[in-house]
Amino acid sequence: MTQACITIKKMTMAYGDFIIQRDLDFKINQGDIFVIMGGSGCGKSTLMMHLIGMIVPSKGDIYYGKENLWGSNASNQRLLLNKTGVLFQSGALLSSMTLGENIALPIAEHTELNKKNIQEIVDYKLSLVGLAGFSDFYPSEISGGMQKRAGLARAMALDPEILFFDEPSAGLDPISSKLLDDLILSLRDNLNATIVMVTHELASIFAIGSNSVFLDPESKTMIAEGDPKKLLKTSQDERVIKFLSRSKKK
Amino acid sequence: MSFYGNWTTGSFSSGVEELLLRLDNHPKIKKLTFSTKKLDDWDSFFMAQLILIMDFAKRKKITIDTKSLPKGIQGLLELAYSVPEREGARKQKKKTSWIELIGNSLLSAKVELKNLVTFLGDLIQSSFSLIKGTGRFRFVDLMTYIQDCGPASLPIVSLISFLVGLILAFVGALQLSLFGAQMYLADLVGLGMTREMGALMVGIIMAGRTGASYAAQIGTMNVNSEIDALKTMGFNPMEFLVMPRMLALILVMPLLCLYADFMGMLGGAAVAIGLFDISSTEYWTRTELAVQLKDVLVGLFKASIFGILIAYSGCIRGMQCGRSASAVGDAATSAVVTGIIFIVISDSLITILFNQLGI
């Protein structure tokens, strides 16, 4: 069960000469709900962009299982990345297409299914996120929370082994945010997926996070890792405790 | 230090600065206390003045006793001083010398050139995969773009090319009538429109209309992370977004150009028949004699090239777009500017080339 799913080795992220984070070294295990946390501007989203192969690390490596993401050729990299699904902060649905077309897009691209079968899968995915019947709506016709859920349906379209979430609960009311947490938990349990999420929503972090890494913008590196609940109890680092307990107390 | 009366925004000038100047001349002052018993009303104006005094005191190492201030003011002061100003956070305003300016613009021109060439390379690669049949985009997208830049732009193309034909005829007629050669009006308008003005006007219209819209569409997709999402799903944005747009323009531009040629001749005819007493049969016969298929083809060739350039400049500006609302506006503007520059330059080159080749 504790097989490493993604391994990050001595990675440095930088824009040109400007270093964002250095010496990142951690593992994301199969079945984890892995939280990337830290204050605003510390490079959480940038780290996620690195993990999904959108940005090349300026130093160090990312391994998917035993394969180096940037050590192989483009088609092999594509195969590795096909195991992933990504939900962007805004949902990032293509605004010129209906929800159904959005979800059908990756399915049509990566499988040989016919139209009817694709539509069946689309309907099923939409019903998983509580949007059954919304197939013909355009993203602009539904609310922000619904867009996010539709984005999740699209991220799940190809039954990915690893799901990435960029601030899933940002901009959602507490109830929708709780529902999304529950959804993430049940996805992990029922699809046996690994979840990686960028968030600073404490409620979510403690409710569902099982492993984490804490990025610090001042020292530009990770200063803690592990189960966030245990971190709160055992961490000696003031910055981590301050973040996790929302207080200024030492 | 005692405060009297109303200290609210816009009530009066405080005189605090003069007071501080005067305090500056009394180095013996070691402590400041405030009295606000007669202070009636206060808002951010008062706070700003108070902070001015506090900062002054800090610089002069004067102790300040804030305990006599009302609770609300004390709380606000504490809040204002709770997070110290980050060093270097204030942006330095510095003057750049003109040499530096020239250097900077040269450096950015180099980057810009590199971007243009990289984009061109990607574009050529995508064209190859399209020809090989591995390039992927949605057919319905191509149809939408064709509809959008073809039939939907007919009204503006009609108007502009009709009027350009009319202007050509007017300007030409005045000169030709000096020699009594109004008969050649049809030749002038016909050749002018088919070889040059038809393609050029359609190019400029489409750069403003379609080029800008491409840049804005793709730019907004960039702002919404839609392009990132496409990439994570394994799509090449070059094939998926740029190719159908470019194909649409390549297909539609020659047709629009042909249409513009015809409308221009119609405009010329209106002037010739209406004002210079040339009969319509005469006009069309002269046109038929003067304009050869070759001339029309030259115009259509130019139009296709312009189509590629418009799509190229629209799409590259969209893909380069930053992640804010104003960046989308800038992208659209710069798409039009780049497009028109490309059109005019390539038009000159093609014209010179054809002239040399005798086409």
Side-chain angles (χ1 to χ4, degrees):
Chain A
M1 189 64 186
T2 51
Q3 192 187 350
C5 190
I6 302 181
T7 314
I8 284 83
K9 283 190 180 161
K10 295 204 171 94
M11 187 173 82
T12 297
M13 312 189 289
Y15 286 119
D17 293 335
F18 181 75
I19 289 181
I20 300 161
Q21 289 282 322
R22 63 165 77 87
D23 300 330
L24 298 179
D25 231 329
F26 58 89
K27 273 185 190 144
I28 299 171
N29 295 320
Q30 155 86 54
D32 266 348
I33 294 185
F34 190 94
V35 183
I36 301 172
M37 55 187 175
S40 305
C42 66
K44 301 186 294 287
S45 296
T46 315
L47 175 57
M48 194 184 96
M49 296 303 258
H50 279 76
L51 294 182
I52 57 176
M54 302 287 288
I55 310 179
V56 198
S58 54
K59 260 187 222 154
D61 294 303
I62 300 170
Y63 290 88
Y64 270 63
K66 287 197 173 69
E67 299 205 58
N68 188 340
L69 184 60
W70 291 97
S72 46
N73 57 23
S75 61
N76 198 16
Q77 186 189 39
R78 192 62 248 159
L79 282 180
L80 294 178
L81 292 176
N82 275 352
K83 294 181 194 165
T84 66
V86 186
L87 171 61
F88 287 88
Q89 204 174 108
S90 56
L93 295 164
L94 299 177
S95 42
S96 59
M97 299 182 198
T98 63
L99 299 191
E101 289 171 328
N102 260 291
I103 300 167
L105 197 63
I107 308 178
E109 171 74 11
H110 295 291
T111 65
E112 304 289 325
L113 293 173
N114 63 28
K115 264 193 178 166
K116 188 169 163 287
N117 290 351
I118 291 178
Q119 190 53 44
E120 285 159 8
I121 295 183
V122 167
D123 289 340
Y124 158 66
K125 298 284 172 185
L126 277 173
S127 64
L128 273 187
V129 296
L131 285 174
F134 280 90
S135 182
D136 290 332
F137 279 62
Y138 282 92
S140 56
E141 296 171 329
I142 57 175
S143 75
M146 290 159 98
Q147 286 182 17
K148 212 162 244 189
R149 277 184 280 154
L152 176 57
R154 188 180 64 183
M156 299 189 310
L158 292 169
D159 299 325
E161 294 168 25
I162 313 166
L163 265 169
F164 291 90
F165 294 83
D166 191 1
E167 312 237 354
S169 39
L172 294 187
D173 62 82
I175 297 170
S176 318
S177 162
K178 167 82 170 60
L179 284 176
L180 195 64
D181 283 354
D182 294 345
L183 190 59
I184 293 173
L185 264 185
S186 77
L187 285 178
R188 196 265 310 257
D189 296 340
N190 298 320
L191 301 175
N192 201 17
T194 306
I195 314 277
V196 180
M197 59 181 204
V198 167
T199 184
H200 41 219
E201 198 78 16
L202 282 180
S204 300
I205 293 177
F206 289 127
I208 61 174
S210 70
N211 197 354
S212 72
V213 61
F214 189 97
L215 305 181
D216 179 48
E218 301 284 316
S219 53
K220 296 193 186 259
T221 187
M222 48 188 277
I223 53 174
E225 59 179 319
D227 186 334
K229 287 178 279 282
K230 282 183 195 153
L231 268 186
L232 178 63
K233 282 182 198 144
T234 59
S235 176
Q236 302 293 323
D237 198 308
E238 193 190 325
R239 293 164 290 186
V240 178
I241 298 172
K242 204 164 150 182
F243 182 93
L244 289 176
S245 61
R246 286 189 73 175
S247 80
K248 291 177 177 181
K249 277 178 288 178
K250 285 180 190 176
Chain B
M1 202 177 272
S2 304
F3 296 99
Y4 293 91
N6 266 333
W7 284 67
T8 50
T9 316
S11 53
F12 64 104
S13 83
S14 66
V16 165
E17 281 176 34
E18 292 93 52
L19 185 73
L20 291 181
L21 276 179
R22 270 163 55 197
L23 277 181
D24 217 6
N25 299 326
H26 296 278
K28 280 182 195 156
I29 297 177
K30 288 285 171 246
K31 192 175 177 187
L32 264 181
T33 49
F34 300 112
S35 153
T36 51
K37 279 187 190 123
K38 290 182 180 160
L39 178 67
D40 290 335
D41 207 2
W42 58 274
D43 62 6
S44 295
F45 173 70
F46 177 67
M47 293 305 298
Q49 301 298 320
L50 201 57
I51 283 176
L52 215 62
I53 300 171
M54 304 266 292
D55 287 346
F56 170 82
K58 249 183 218 164
R59 277 200 306 277
K60 296 280 162 194
K61 306 221 165 64
I62 299 173
T63 346
I64 291 189
D65 183 15
T66 53
K67 289 200 186 81
S68 53
L69 291 168
K71 273 266 153 54
I73 296 180
Q74 280 189 39
L76 286 173
L77 274 182
E78 199 178 307
L79 198 63
Y81 284 106
S82 64
V83 179
E85 184 171 323
R86 197 190 288 183
E87 256 174 61
R90 262 180 219 257
K91 294 205 172 148
Q92 300 282 329
K93 279 180 195 151
K94 60 168 188 179
K95 270 193 170 176
T96 32
S97 72
W98 59 273
I99 299 183
E100 217 171 323
L101 284 178
I102 294 176
N104 281 340
S105 55
L106 268 180
L107 284 179
S108 55
K110 192 178 134 196
V111 175
E112 167 74 9
L113 192 68
K114 193 182 152 202
N115 287 339
L116 287 176
V117 176
T118 314
F119 194 83
L120 185 65
D122 287 348
L123 200 63
I124 293 173
Q125 255 179 358
S126 310
S127 318
F128 274 128
S129 52
L130 192 72
I131 293 167
K132 277 193 293 187
T134 55
R136 259 171 296 242
F137 57 81
R138 298 193 327 153
F139 190 66
V140 55
D141 283 346
L142 176 64
M143 287 299 143
T144 318
Y145 299 136
I146 288 181
Q147 157 74 25
D148 191 50
C149 59
S153 54
L154 279 183
I156 176 107
V157 171
S158 314
L159 178 72
I160 303 269
S161 45
F162 182 83
L163 292 182
V164 167
L166 193 130
I167 294 166
L168 265 183
F170 248 118
V171 176
L174 288 177
Q175 303 301 318
L176 289 173
S177 60
L178 291 179
F179 312 102
Q182 297 97 317
M183 276 306 294
Y184 293 102
L185 201 60
D187 302 46
L188 182 91
V189 174
L191 284 175
M193 285 309 293
T194 50
R195 285 192 75 101
E196 195 55 56
M197 293 313 281
L200 191 63
M201 289 332 284
V202 168
I204 289 175
I205 294 167
M206 296 311 274
R209 198 179 173 279
T210 307
S213 112
Y214 285 178
Q217 284 167 1
I218 297 181
T220 312
M221 293 184 78
N222 211 355
V223 173
N224 292 339
S225 320
E226 290 176 35
I227 295 185
D228 287 344
L230 272 178
K231 284 187 198 157
T232 60
M233 289 188 284
F235 288 95
N236 180 351
M238 214 58 172
E239 289 169 10
F240 195 81
L241 299 175
V242 177
M243 274 299 143
R245 288 179 165 83
M246 185 164 276
L247 272 184
L249 269 182
I250 294 177
L251 290 175
V252 167
M253 280 294 283
L255 297 176
L256 279 180
C257 175
L258 201 63
Y259 176 74
D261 291 349
F262 174 71
M263 288 308 289
M265 289 179 206
L266 219 56
V271 172
I273 297 166
L275 295 175
F276 292 92
D277 291 333
I278 300 168
S279 76
S280 59
T281 350
E282 259 177 313
Y283 189 87
W284 292 122
T285 329
R286 284 283 343 148
T287 305
E288 261 179 60
L289 279 175
V291 179
Q292 295 171 351
L293 182 63
K294 180 184 79 175
D295 302 314
V296 178
L297 290 180
V298 167
L300 298 190
F301 173 75
K302 281 182 180 173
S304 315
I305 300 287
F306 296 165
I308 296 175
L309 293 173
I310 294 165
Y312 175 75
S313 50
C315 294
I316 188 174
R317 295 304 177 208
M319 298 290 256
Q320 287 172 340
C321 177
R323 293 190 177 240
S324 68
S326 68
V328 175
D330 293 343
T333 312
S334 126
V336 177
V337 174
T338 320
I340 291 180
I341 292 176
F342 280 170
I343 288 174
V344 174
I345 292 178
S346 66
D347 192 20
S348 321
L349 289 179
I350 296 172
T351 308
I352 295 170
L353 187 74
F354 281 178
N355 193 311
Q356 292 295 315
L357 293 175
I359 301 175

